[in-house]
């Protein structure tokens, strides 16, 4: 099951995604990103710290979102914990995945696309304007 909630943080529109980002659920995230851009939002953060599983469909959505925001002069940032520290307490992986968010980080790194994204440790860092992205 996938859940997506939203919030505004200054100029930034934040989507908190939790659950599994796969073939069945990734179209919902893609649609939320497209809706945000259609509404005129140009600064988007996807918090994936509570995503337990991500397949190639989910990776495709992230790459497409980056491309979409870039094409309209916007910015796209991800929240991905390196060690799963951003996961909700008691959140266990399914399908052999690691703790929340860390799985996505490992998948992006293994595919060689992690460097394409501006990745931050948390939403405050991503939207605050003073923190640098984490290194790939």
């Amino acid at each position: 099951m996938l859940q997506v909630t939203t919030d505004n943080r200054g100029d930034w529109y934040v989507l908190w995604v939790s659950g599994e980002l796969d073939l069945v659920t990734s179209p919902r995230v893609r649609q939320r990103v497209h809706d945000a851009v259609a509404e005129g939002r140009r600064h988007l953060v996807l918090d994936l710290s509570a995503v337990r599983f991500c397949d190639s469909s989910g990776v495709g959505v992230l790459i497409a979102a980056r491309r979409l925001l870039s094409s309209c002069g916007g910015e796209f940032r991800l929240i991905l914990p390196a060690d799963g520290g951003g996961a909700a307490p008691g959140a266990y992986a399914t399908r052999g995945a690691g703790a929340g968010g860390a799985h996505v980080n490992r998948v992006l790194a293994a595919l060689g696309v992690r460097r394409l994204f501006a990745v931050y440790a948390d939403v405050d860092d991503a939207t605050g304007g003073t923190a640098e992205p984490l290194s790939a």
Side-chain angles (χ1 to χ4, degrees):
M1 185 165 106
L2 180 85
Q3 294 182 341
V4 180
T5 57
T6 61
D7 189 23
N8 290 299
R9 296 277 181 106
D11 290 339
W12 291 93
Y13 188 63
V14 181
L15 285 95
W16 278 279
V17 182
S18 63
E20 297 183 5
L21 190 54
D22 58 22
L23 180 65
V24 174
T25 61
S26 60
R28 288 180 47 206
V29 175
R30 181 185 310 269
Q31 188 61 52
R32 297 294 287 268
V33 169
H34 281 262
D35 290 348
V37 171
E39 293 168 4
R41 301 177 195 280
R42 297 297 181 260
H43 303 285
L44 186 68
V45 173
L46 247 62
D47 185 338
L48 304 177
S49 58
V51 171
R52 302 184 303 267
F53 177 83
C54 181
D55 68 7
S56 60
S57 302
V59 173
V61 166
L62 299 179
I63 292 171
R66 177 189 173 274
R67 187 178 309 131
L68 176 63
L69 269 294
S70 179
S71 72
C72 64
E75 290 183 75
F76 181 65
R77 297 178 176 179
L78 296 179
I79 308 302
L80 293 172
D83 61 0
Y92 293 97
T94 58
R95 299 188 209 176
H103 171 73
V104 180
N105 206 4
R106 288 191 303 271
V107 168
L108 294 177
L111 293 173
V113 297
R114 164 68 169 71
R115 62 183 166 69
L116 298 176
F117 300 97
V119 175
Y120 291 80
D122 57 44
V123 171
D124 290 337
D125 284 351
T127 60
T130 58
E132 291 293 319
L134 302 173
S135 60

